[in-house]
Amino acid sequence: MPPRLILIGPMGCGKTTIGKIVAENLNLPFRDTDLLIEEEEKKSVSEIFLEDGEEKFRLLEKSVLRKELLSDETVLALGGGAPISMDAQSALRAIASPVVYLQISLANVAPRIGFNRDRPLLLHNPRGQWETLMQERRPIYEAIADTVIDVNGKEPDVIASEVLEFLT
Ligand code: S3P
């Protein structure tokens, strides 16, 4: 059995926060590909980017994703870039798990990105970098998702309720 729910979306859209609330409500374990990679490698995502490079990080991400897609009844949050490779796109389209895209605008994400978490891809000009990534990724997120939830201006509990409603 695959995960009960897969959350996708860009950096700063709230996948971890929402995923934890939903998992608690469903009484299921919450997993996050970034945290799984950090546990496995015993270093932070930023350290991996800096010391080993992005290519290595993407390999680790692919391998964690492959494993997690086989794991039973979890709520799984994917790092913003995890669904982008062709392999990941096909796996996510094929899987029975509902895939929810948390959609956020640049205006709403701007205050959250750049300083409150380690985000190696947003080190310089976080807003510009975020928007550039989104131009490539937005159509992919939309194509993979079973539903899109607009998180702009909403409290985490409200967003989590919308996700739970979609699941029932
Ligand atoms: C990335 C998103 C990050 C993390 C890494 C790369 C991306 O995860 O995997 O910094 O390529 O968008 P979050 O989306 O959880 O911040």
Side-chain angles (χ1 to χ4, degrees):
M1 283 267 289
R4 177 72 185 89
L5 166 71
I6 299 173
L7 290 173
I8 62 169
M11 292 177 267
C13 72
K15 290 162 292 187
T16 306
T17 308
I18 305 306
K20 283 182 179 165
I21 302 174
V22 171
E24 206 181 318
N25 269 270
L26 296 173
N27 209 11
L28 292 175
F30 170 73
R31 307 256 179 83
D32 176 319
T33 54
D34 287 340
L35 295 179
L36 291 163
I37 293 168
E38 289 181 339
E39 272 168 31
E40 216 169 88
E41 295 299 296
K42 303 198 170 33
K43 47 185 168 179
S44 70
V45 168
S46 286
E47 284 167 338
I48 300 171
F49 267 73
L50 202 70
E51 293 167 17
D52 311 311
E54 179 171 355
E55 209 173 312
K56 173 71 190 291
F57 175 78
R58 297 298 174 199
L59 288 175
L60 295 166
E61 191 170 53
K62 270 190 196 172
S63 125
V64 162
L65 180 61
R66 232 187 337 262
K67 249 184 274 168
E68 286 306 312
L69 292 185
L70 299 172
S71 84
D72 203 6
E73 290 280 44
T74 59
V75 171
L76 178 65
L78 304 193
I84 304 305
S85 74
M86 290 310 289
D87 283 357
Q89 288 186 48
S90 353
L92 290 165
R93 280 176 206 248
I95 202 158
S97 314
V99 177
V100 174
Y101 165 29
L102 301 181
Q103 184 180 60
I104 192 163
S105 68
L106 177 58
N108 278 278
V109 86
R112 303 190 193 177
I113 54 177
F115 42 80
N116 65 348
R117 239 195 80 174
D118 274 355
R119 291 204 163 98
L121 289 180
L122 304 179
L123 274 179
H124 312 291
N125 182 14
R127 292 167 201 221
Q129 305 258 59
W130 187 91
E131 189 44 40
T132 302
L133 285 171
M134 278 305 277
Q135 276 167 21
E136 179 206 348
R137 294 175 175 182
R138 195 175 281 119
I140 300 175
Y141 292 146
E142 286 171 357
I144 295 168
D146 294 300
T147 196
V148 181
I149 294 184
D150 180 346
V151 304
N152 292 298
K154 294 179 190 159
E155 290 300 319
D157 281 346
V158 174
I159 303 163
S161 304
E162 289 184 31
V163 175
L164 287 161
E165 207 171 298
F166 167 72
L167 291 179
T168 53

